[in-house]
Amino acid sequence: MKLFRALGSYLLLSALAAFLAAPFVWMLLVSLHPSKAPIPTIERVVPTRFEEGHKVFDPHFENYKTVLFDSGLPVPIFLLNTVFVTACTVCLVLLFTSMAAYGLTRLRFAGRETFFRMFWLSMMFVGPVLQIPVYLIVRSLGWLDSYYALIVPGASSAFCVFLLRQFFIQIPFDIDEAARLDGASEFRIYWKLILPLAKPALATVAAFTFIATWTDFFWPLLATNSLYMRTLEVGLSVFKNSYGGNNWPMQMAATVIVMVPVLAVFLYAQRYFVRGIILGSTK
Amino acid sequence: MKKSWAGYLFLAPAALHLFVFALLPIGYALFLSVFKWDVLKPNKPFIGAKNYVDTLTDSAFWNAMWNSTKFALVSVPAGLAVALFVAVLVTQRLRGMAFFRTVFYIPAVSSGVAISILWIYIYLPTSGLIASLIQMLNAGIAKANQLLHISLSLLPTDIDFLNDKAWALWALAFMSIWTGLGPRMVLFSAGLLGIPRPLYEAAELDGASRWQCFKQITLPMLTPTTFFVLITSTIGAFQLFTPVYMMTQGNPEDSTRVIGYHIYEEAWSRFHVGLASAQSFVLMVPLFFIALMQERFMRRRLEGFSIQ
Amino acid sequence: MAAALGFWLNLGLGCVNPKTGGKTILRVATWGGAGDDSEFVKTVRRLRQEFEKQNPGVEVREEGIPGPGEYVKKLLQSFVAGTEPDIITLDASSAAVFIDNDVLLDLAPLIAADSEFNLNDFYENVVDIARRGSRLYAIPGDFTPIVMYYNKRMFDDAGVPYPKAGWTFEDFANAAKRLTKPGQFGFKFVNWMPGWITWMWNEGGDVLSPNGDRAAGFLDSERCQRAAEFLRSLVSVWKVAPSLSQSAAAGVDLFANGQAAMEVSGHWAMIGYKNSPKGPDGRPLLRIEDVGVAPLPSNIGKSVTVMYEAGFAIGKNCKHRELAWKYIKFMTSHRVQSEYNATGIAVCARKDVSQERAADERERMFLALIPTARAPWGAKVEGYETVERAGETAMNAIITGSKSAADALAEAARKIDKDFSRR
């Protein structure tokens, strides 16, 4: 009975996994068809050619080369922009939100609870309301179409402050009380004691911020105008409108190129994601 | 209070950021919404509540709100049900569950643009992945008809999901179940693992069936998680943007013109920034109400954490 | 670490910023998208490099914004942001929105002060598209009337005579019916208003009132309904054109792939025809010598068409005005235009280049159609984007049969007028 149940579970899970993975497999296969090839039917989705009457596997990896270097778009620049912006954002978020969380949990000062309430409330302001004023504020700072516009508005996050606060509260208070009695400065306690203990939570924040920044579309779309300031996500969105929508192998190759880095990070850091989501739900 | 200056210092960067990029913008948006603020035009006259009146009487706005509501009403419950089902499966004490959890999470971390392009392809009539699967199914049905001398009708393969107004919004909803599965599954898994096992053991001793256990123990114990997932998913559903921008641009016949996209177009394609601000406030009323419900609910759970 | 981070940030934001880097950067907006390595892409790249070689220390950055409706939106956004490109390729069909919002530089003083440049080298009606009184906002590069392309081999195989001037909708439909067979459509229809508006004109209707301020009584007029009905019949009744979903399912250009006998498009389509994919026999699916060009069919005696033009304009606040003007002169020069238009993109707005190219029979036909071509509405009406969006929505409903032509067009007209009243 138990065995049957397990077997059934595996079957169901495999079917679901196939459902989730099939689009990606399909995408990879289509990206290897020759440029401008008609849309293959399911029997022909594996790119093949005939050689002496035999079907042989015939992948067109040159599509990737075309997308990266011969598309007329500075794809390597898109990639560099994305890496730079993401790296800066992750560092700043880690620094600012952990400092805030330290202040909110370890230090006493007037209005602390009010501050926390404000962070908490701001998580409820939804994107559509903020997009216009934030754009105009960034414009009046003269930052549009620069790295400042891409980095600074994302440099802190109420969600991450909240997440880290939840974690910091669970770190025993006698650790820093002891250090304080020994005369350690607050910065030293924060930097040398609390941060090392909070590593898993920080990794979670880093992983989240990385994915959110790397895959952000709306803000970079609005905040940048020149081609050389575009991020990968926005830059490659033009592939959809290119080729009159008629060159699927090339579009799929571009799609794979956007997806691979972020998937790699996810697979590397997946356990932190899981932890982060659970922390975020205050479990 | 000796330490108070240190507290403010530690809080300063994040608080300043919060002020400039969240609190100030809310006030600014409120200010903009009472002007005829067309960014391209030099004069921006004060018009009082006219933008709000225009918004409330605009059938295109309400059409967009209704589209978003329909999208949320379908994608959220279905997404929750699927995620809960998957979570129950992957929290079993079996080998290899970590692998499945990873696979199920992948769509959620993939780029929205890439996912959208991919799903345009999946939804293509006749030649897309779904149409191909229907074709395979049809081949099976035809064979069954032949063998069993029955006449089941074949399924259509030429549905243009993204260009047919009967399908387009549901196609987007279906896709969002796929992309949203990961985080929801993880949340439910966490909730499930938090249910004390003795409860189940006791129930099993009483001879309860699996379904009874699920109904009597799992669901009630999971209520907080469900509530959290429900609310975040609903707010997320009302903010849908990238797939619409990439896949349908609100077509066909405005059937996928959801509110997030509508406001974007009003502001950045027609440059009616004042009107768009008013629209976003009208949108925010129900969303803020939902969020407040969450806040009240969460605060009750948070009290357990309050500091000495 | 915080200090190090700050230092690194400063360094990064200051120096790595791709906008600076010692060179003068000339940003040129076009509506091109990601390319493949076709002849056209290579030619454009080569011309750009040539200009850079002539002007040391200058880098030309072409910034493509592809996609219907995207170009105007994104460029206006960049003007709002104050980060617009130096040179804007000005499409006749959206000239008004840029001119009326006063974001372009008046080029007349530059022309007057430059003895090397002669405006008389260009076709006058093409120049006039961007002229407002004594002010001129763009120098025309190239243009194209919308034409009917046909596949001569398919006509020969079906024994259908080639289309000729004076043919009517009925002649066209009959030809399309005879040219339709399994695996081949008589006509390739796309729901692209800049292309299908000509059917309404050739039925004697129009989408806006003569001064361009309202759609009611025009877009929803009986003549426009008849034209829309005709297009629906092509797709849904006679089935001589693929349905919208059939086109999508193919995922390729049906005319360029030798699966449709006729297509309405502009000169730029020739680039695709020249690059027609190869069939299993290794030969192109569409041979360029099989491509014929004909006037559009008309029910009002005299065929009319629309002329889309690409001009070069300079942003009002451009910081490198001289350089930008130099670039425009380079791009509109005789030699550069000869090479550029040899790719098949369009008809040159310079009379000398066009005359030289008229040796080709197809090019002659394009030139012959110039007098019948109207400037697009978007050259005059600022909010024309709205009209195209509403029009395409209506056409989608009509073609798929979800609404009658009368209902769909009336609804579109209402939507357009409401939007016009908001401005």
Side-chain angles (χ1 to χ4, degrees), chain C residues 28-103:
Chain C
V28 182
T30 69
W31 45 81
D36 27 47
D37 39 5
S38 68
E39 205 47 49
F40 176 71
V41 175
K42 282 182 197 149
T43 305
V44 171
R45 195 178 299 163
R46 186 163 46 76
L47 291 171
R48 198 169 60 214
Q49 283 162 356
E50 203 177 302
F51 181 78
E52 285 169 349
K53 207 172 278 170
Q54 287 174 15
N55 298 274
V58 172
E59 186 185 335
V60 178
R61 277 190 187 160
E62 195 184 310
E63 305 192 352
I65 309 171
E70 289 296 296
Y71 189 73
V72 175
K73 189 159 77 185
K74 296 260 172 69
L75 268 187
L76 285 179
Q77 280 175 20
S78 74
F79 277 107
V80 168
T83 56
E84 69 274 11
D86 301 298
I87 293 178
I88 291 100
T89 315
L90 193 67
D91 181 355
S93 63
S94 55
V97 72
F98 291 105
I99 295 174
D100 292 1
N101 279 305
D102 195 26
V103 295

Side-chain angles (χ1 to χ4, degrees), chain A residues 71 139 147 225-226 228 242 246, chain C residues 13 27 34-35 61 80 83 251:
Chain A
S71 62
R139 180 173 78 149
Y147 286 129
N225 304 112
S226 60
Y228 281 65
S242 304
N246 279 336
Chain C
L13 296 172
R27 291 171 54 206
R61 277 190 187 160
V80 168
T83 56

Side-chain angles (χ1 to χ4, degrees), chain C residues 90-93 95 99 119 121-132 136-145 306-312 332 337 346-351 354 366-367 369-371 373-376 379:
Chain C
L90 193 67
D91 181 355
S93 63
I99 295 174
L119 205 55
D121 289 342
F122 301 83
Y123 288 104
E124 204 176 332
N125 58 342
V126 184
V127 174
D128 283 348
I129 290 177
R131 198 195 288 281
R132 296 291 187 274
L136 184 69
Y137 291 101
I139 306 298
D142 51 66
F143 66 98
T144 173
V306 56
M307 177 161 67
Y308 293 111
E309 173 246 0
F312 295 95
T332 56
Q337 279 294 317
V347 186
C348 183
R350 289 183 70 99
K351 295 174 204 163
S354 295
F366 276 102
L367 288 179
L369 289 174
I370 297 173
R374 280 172 56 174

Side-chain angles (χ1 to χ4, degrees), chain A residues 36 38-39 70-71 73 84 91 135 139 144-145 147-148 191 221 225-228 230 238-239 241-243 246, chain C residues 1 5 12-13 18-19 27 33-35 45 61-63 66-67 74 77-78 80-81 83 249 251-253 275:
Chain A
K36 288 191 188 161
I39 293 171
D70 293 326
S71 62
L73 293 175
F84 179 70
C91 292
Y135 177 89
R139 180 173 78 149
L144 285 178
D145 208 30
Y147 286 129
Y148 291 103
W191 195 254
L221 176 76
N225 304 112
S226 60
L227 194 61
Y228 281 65
R230 294 298 201 185
V238 310
F239 271 89
N241 287 325
S242 304
Y243 316 113
N246 279 336
Chain C
M1 192 204 116
L5 182 75
L13 296 172
K19 285 164 101 178
R27 291 171 54 206
R45 195 178 299 163
R61 277 190 187 160
E62 195 184 310
E63 305 192 352
K74 296 260 172 69
Q77 280 175 20
S78 74
V80 168
T83 56
V252 290
D253 180 339
N275 273 318

Side-chain angles (χ1 to χ4, degrees), chain A residues 5 9-10 20 26 39-40 110 120 122 124 127 129 131 133 135 152-153 186 218 233 240 248 255 266 270 277, chain B residues 3 8 17-18 25 92 95 102 105 107 111-114 121 124 187 210 239 241 246 268 273 284 291 295:
Chain A
R5 195 181 279 168
S9 296
Y10 279 123
L20 273 122
W26 193 263
I39 293 171
W120 178 231
S122 78
M124 283 149 215
V129 189
Q131 60 170 276
Y135 177 89
V152 180
E186 285 302 333
F218 189 88
E233 187 84 349
K240 198 219 122 195
W248 281 103
T255 311
F266 166 66
Q270 49 162 317
I277 297 179
Chain B
K3 286 287 185 310
Y8 294 124
H17 184 277
L18 178 79
Q92 293 174 104
R95 294 180 125 260
T102 306
Y105 204 86
S111 115
V113 168
Y121 191 91
L124 282 176
L187 285 169
R210 261 198 124 186
Q239 297 192 48
F241 176 76
M246 293 299 295
W268 307 116
V273 162
M284 207 170 117
E295 206 247 338

Side-chain angles (χ1 to χ4, degrees), chain A:
Chain A
M1 187 59 201
K2 268 239 162 81
L3 190 71
F4 274 122
R5 195 181 279 168
L7 212 62
S9 296
Y10 279 123
L11 272 177
L12 257 171
L13 283 168
S14 306
L16 275 164
F19 167 70
L20 273 122
F24 293 109
V25 175
W26 193 263
M27 168 177 82
L28 264 174
L29 289 172
V30 173
S31 77
L32 297 174
H33 278 253
S35 173
K36 288 191 188 161
I39 293 171
T41 53
I42 201 161
E43 310 86 60
R44 300 221 184 115
V45 73
V46 178
T48 51
R49 88 190 122 84
F50 279 97
E51 208 166 76
E52 294 154 7
H54 291 289
K55 265 192 184 169
V56 287
F57 183 53
D58 180 28
H60 288 252
F61 289 110
E62 72 271 14
N63 290 348
Y64 288 88
K65 194 181 141 267
T66 309
V67 167
L68 279 171
F69 304 111
D70 293 326
S71 62
L73 293 175
V75 177
I77 302 254
F78 295 160
L79 185 65
L80 278 177
N81 284 344
T82 308
V83 169
F84 179 70
V85 167
T86 309
C88 291
T89 309
V90 169
C91 292
L92 288 175
V93 166
L94 280 177
L95 184 70
F96 291 169
T97 59
S98 64
M99 280 170 66
Y102 181 83
L104 285 173
T105 53
R106 291 335 231 216
L107 299 165
R108 284 159 190 279
F109 52 91
R112 189 175 77 173
E113 290 310 305
T114 317
F115 272 112
F116 179 61
R117 280 301 276 299
M118 283 201 308
F119 279 112
W120 178 231
L121 262 172
S122 78
M123 279 164 67
M124 283 149 215
F125 297 157
V126 290
V129 189
L130 294 177
Q131 60 170 276
I132 295 165
V134 167
Y135 177 89
L136 294 177
I137 288 169
V138 170
R139 180 173 78 149
S140 58
L141 290 167
W143 286 352
L144 285 178
D145 208 30
S146 74
Y147 286 129
Y148 291 103
L150 291 174
I151 295 167
V152 180
S156 172
S157 136
F159 177 72
C160 294
V161 170
F162 177 74
L163 211 132
L164 287 178
R165 179 185 175 273
Q166 294 309 103
F167 194 87
F168 282 18
I169 282 177
Q170 294 167 7
I171 300 173
F173 282 78
D174 24 339
I175 297 182
D176 39 314
E177 285 309 327
R180 237 166 244 132
L181 288 177
D182 287 348
S185 72
E186 285 302 333
F187 186 79
R188 216 186 135 73
I189 298 172
Y190 157 74
W191 195 254
K192 291 273 174 190
L193 280 177
I194 303 295
L195 283 195
L197 284 172
K199 262 186 190 152
L202 292 174
T204 303
V205 166
F208 260 118
T209 312
F210 176 89
I211 299 285
T213 314
W214 188 286
T215 63
D216 191 14
F217 178 64
F218 189 88
W219 178 249
L221 176 76
L222 209 56
T224 64
N225 304 112
S226 60
L227 194 61
Y228 281 65
M229 279 311 298
R230 294 298 201 185
T231 57
L232 204 52
E233 187 84 349
V234 179
L236 288 187
S237 71
V238 310
F239 271 89
K240 198 219 122 195
N241 287 325
S242 304
Y243 316 113
N246 279 336
N247 196 343
W248 281 103
M250 214 63 100
Q251 290 206 41
M252 288 298 164
T255 311
V256 173
I257 288 172
V258 195
M259 272 192 188
V260 161
V262 80
L263 278 186
V265 168
F266 166 66
L267 291 177
Y268 178 74
Q270 49 162 317
R271 61 208 168 99
Y272 298 116
F273 277 89
V274 175
R275 202 191 316 246
I277 297 179
I278 296 167
L279 274 174
S281 70
T282 72
K283 184 66 205 46

